[in-house]
Amino acid sequence: DAKTTQPPSMDCAEGRAANLPCNHSTISGNEYVYWYRQIHSQGPQYIIHGLKNNETNEMASLIITEDRKSSTLILPHATLRDTAVYYCIVRDLTGGTASKLTFGTGTRLQVTL
Amino acid sequence: GAVVSQHPSRVICKSGTSVKIECRSLDFQATTMFWYRQFPKQSLMLMATSNEGSKATYEQGVEKDKFLINHASLTLSTLTVTSAHPEDSSFYICSAGETLYNEQFFGPGTRLTVL
């Protein structure tokens, strides 16, 4: 079972920041927070991941609360191409490349003009 | 990022036939590959973990004799849906574990329609 809770859907105006929340209150100390997105009828695309520090890359920023029980993915300037289902996943990397990803229901982000 | 391909991208077959789907890591070697299934408007469900040179590990409820997985090389895993039925119609997605960044990279998916 997925260990995360996300709102089922969100809307965002193009050019504005999209803030996608995720609750993972039962996360354990060695579990990372991963974000993927899936554009319709495509395979998931990796966005970002983190353990406890905030992270930023060319796609997004990840803000993790100090108690690690929740996080927020930030797309700083959403475009229509960011319309997708966004999945927040907690992942134990103990198994290395064999570590599983368990997908929850995700948040369907709709970016509008 | 690393590239994973799947072939075919879509396939239509008659009930009772078998269908093979290939998953290839194009620019890296993958000791571990994963197979997922996704029904319309649902999330991805992990079916099995494919390990190069050994038997796959199936998730609970997935029939190993129906979904045959072979991972014969570090760049290729295959999923064969045997004796396919309409209820097997789904979007099948593979991912490959990349060692350097310890990431999973996903293929574009294969849409299977069983008539």
Side-chain angles (χ1 to χ4, degrees), chain B residues 94-110:
Chain B
C94 73
S95 70
E98 190 276 337
T99 305
L100 180 61
Y101 299 104
N102 204 13
E103 296 304 336
Q104 280 191 36
F105 293 95
F106 286 80
T110 297

Side-chain angles (χ1 to χ4, degrees), chain B residues 3 10 19-20 22 24 41-42 45 47 49 53 56-57 61 63 70 76-77 84 86 89 98 102 109-110 113:
Chain B
V3 179
R10 57 178 63 239
V19 175
K20 178 184 285 188
E22 293 185 348
R24 293 182 184 272
K41 298 187 185 293
Q42 295 187 23
M45 295 297 295
M47 299 176 66
T49 302
T57 303
E63 299 176 59
N70 183 278
L76 173 65
S77 176
S89 298
E98 190 276 337
N102 204 13
T110 297
T113 302

Side-chain angles (χ1 to χ4, degrees), chain A residues 3 7 12-13 19 31 33 37 44-46 48 71-73 85 89-90 92-94 101-102 110 112-113:
Chain A
K3 296 176 65 174
C12 179
N19 297 286
E31 287 180 317
V33 179
R37 72 180 182 184
Q45 177 190 21
Y46 166 81
I48 199 167
S71 61
T72 301
L73 178 73
V85 178
I89 301 168
V90 295
D92 182 346
L93 291 181
T94 303
L101 289 169
T102 301
Q110 179 69 52
T112 57
L113 290 171

Side-chain angles (χ1 to χ4, degrees), chain A residues 26-79:
Chain A
T26 61
I27 192 171
S28 60
N30 57 346
E31 287 180 317
Y32 287 69
V33 179
Y34 275 74
W35 284 83
Y36 283 79
R37 72 180 182 184
Q38 186 179 25
I39 296 170
H40 183 63
S41 294
Q42 297 182 23
Q45 177 190 21
Y46 166 81
I47 301 173
I48 199 167
H49 76 281
L51 183 62
K52 54 183 179 181
N53 296 323
N54 297 337
E55 303 288 342
T56 295
N57 62 20
E58 64 278 5
M59 290 184 67
S61 294
L62 173 61
I63 308 298
I64 303 174
T65 58
E66 192 169 343
D67 63 7
R68 300 206 328 121
K69 293 185 176 182
S70 65
S71 61
T72 301
L73 178 73
I74 301 172
L75 307 179
H77 305 286
T79 70

Side-chain angles (χ1 to χ4, degrees), chain B residues 28-41:
Chain B
F28 67 100
Q29 294 183 329
T31 305
T32 307
M33 290 185 174
F34 301 84
W35 287 96
Y36 297 80
R37 180 168 53 181
Q38 185 175 32
F39 292 109
K41 298 187 185 293

